[in-house]
Amino acid sequence: MTAPPIESIHSHRYWDRSIEPVHRVDPGTEVALVLGDASGGQILATDGPEAIGLLDLGQVNPCTGPIAVDGLEPGDGLVVTIVDISPSPWAWTANIPGFGLLADDFPDARLWISTVSGGRLHTPIGAEIEIRPMIGTIGVAPAAAGRHPILVPAAHGGNMDIAQMGAGSELHLPVMVPEALFSAGDAHAPQGDGEVCGTGAETGATLTVRLDRASRPHPGTPWFTHEAPVLDRRCTATTGIGPDLFEAARESTRRAVELVVASTGVAPVDAYLLLGLIGDLRISEIVDAPNWVVSLHIPARFL
Amino acid sequence: MTAPPIESIHSHRYWDRSIEPVHRVDPGTEVALVLGDASGGQILATDGPEAIGLLDLGQVNPCTGPIAVDGLEPGDGLVVTIVDISPSPWAWTANIPGFGLLADDFPDARLWISTVSGGRLHTPIGAEIEIRPMIGTIGVAPAAAGRHPILVPAAHGGNMDIAQMGAGSELHLPVMVPEALFSAGDAHAPQGDGEVCGTGAETGATLTVRLDRASRPHPGTPWFTHEAPVLDRRCTATTGIGPDLFEAARESTRRAVELVVASTGVAPVDAYLLLGLIGDLRISEIVDAPNWVVSLHIPARFL
């Protein structure tokens, strides 16, 4: 028998240790949370790109919770086992002006509404992508009093946007306040390493997690295990080479946009959005001073 | 019938467009090159860590070549198809003081001599690693006259140390001087994304490549296709979170060293060397300003 899920109306749009828990569990308990999408319900499946301009950024990234875990204390580790993620049957992906790795290159709003069926995301440009639902924002209350922005990840976890945070993963978070105060939101199905365009396939979801106390004290930054499905061995990768990893990441992303455009004929902004879903940023080399190499890997079947 | 390989005595230790080609081929030709190891033969299979202190850094990373490809001109793309890499039966991995992502943390020289047999690298700490031979340094002569350091990758390729540069990969390099002037060296079997300790499993090898002209002009930074074997789905990853990707990479690597030490009982420097071989650095998130997330992924079976 499973308890009813915690509804998304029990959510917060900033991190704050003083937010009252909406639920309290014993360590080892499985709990389900209904997560609103990253727009907080502002973007509808029937919307066009004008919806991006109307977004109230104060309402984005709602996180359901917090959930208090009985007996946990600062210094402990909270083990979050992701048991299941059931996404909504549709998702949005957008270029939000001023946001994303290539914000300077893409000043205009763009919105995709994709549908999910048969285990695949059907995008408006015709690309069909296996869903790999994952949780973008997942964390505990930070140690310092006051409000902390919900969009910025930090030592307490939060909006880490880690592509491998899917079912079967086990996230170890540092407990910073009594009872941990766990929350989650911002489901994606899927998102590439880096989330280069600033969004994944943004979707609501029902998340089931088991919350437990770690057997050892926590080292202080989040760590996790995962069993990410590897769908594609054949990939094409672009590079950025130089002394600044951020600029190298931008360079490799720009080259990847050009490559997708040349191969598929889609508009540059659509190539950019596609890369947010299926492009993976790796640091290839970070020791051959003064130049580092960042590469962006694209499954070859999308080219 | 295959032509005899170009021996490693035909090598250079800097990039320079004025180096005379040792061989000239037509586009589409397959050619084999014998590559010396990254120490240029200074480290022997019988050596101990004192060999690191005796390294003449002016002699490292010899590259066999250059090979002229008839008819190629600046603006063209050179397509390098890696047909085969046959590594030597042994490899070295080292902490070289002052070099590597955590040079400040590991000031003392350390040297591993590993053997290769049955498709596996047998390390002195008992870790057995499937070999995935790849070429660390692979490029064409740079456009600017004069000597360019062999250890620093740049737009012409060179010491990119890309883990996926193995057999089956196809590297597209920008031709910068007439006839391209292709060279390669620095084989690894294997190396993780990032090469965090500064070395992979450094080995000599015979490299067979096909050199061809690309059908389109080159966009200016190297790009490649690969079919990297994915050996492990179950991984453990550490994170570094903050506004500087380089520092975040260091943080995730430090946490990974601690994790390997706690799980296996090896010395911290040995954990660091192991991560150079099997740890993969990814950029998980580069859009949630001001903090980015770098993660270092370790196949779980090594923990």
Side-chain angles (χ1 to χ4, degrees), chain B residues 238-264:
Chain B
T238 55
T239 64
I241 304 178
D244 180 315
L245 287 167
F246 190 81
E247 284 307 317
R250 283 163 67 110
E251 172 78 2
S252 65
T253 305
R254 284 198 181 100
R255 294 293 86 75
V257 166
E258 293 167 4
L259 191 66
V260 172
V261 168
S263 302
T264 66

Side-chain angles (χ1 to χ4, degrees), chain B residues 112-185:
Chain B
W112 285 2
I113 303 292
S114 303
T115 55
V116 175
S117 68
R120 293 184 150 217
L121 186 79
H122 309 274
T123 67
I125 62 166
E128 307 253 317
I129 307 171
E130 290 78 2
I131 65 167
R132 293 183 300 171
M134 41 81 47
I135 303 300
T137 308
I138 186 163
V140 292
R147 294 185 176 190
H148 300 254
I150 202 85
L151 287 177
V152 182
H156 68 106
N159 196 26
M160 297 185 291
D161 284 322
I162 293 172
Q164 296 80 27
M165 207 57 70
S169 291
E170 197 181 87
L171 172 63
H172 293 244
L173 290 166
V175 175
M176 298 182 157
V177 303
E179 300 190 309
L181 301 181
F182 171 82
S183 305

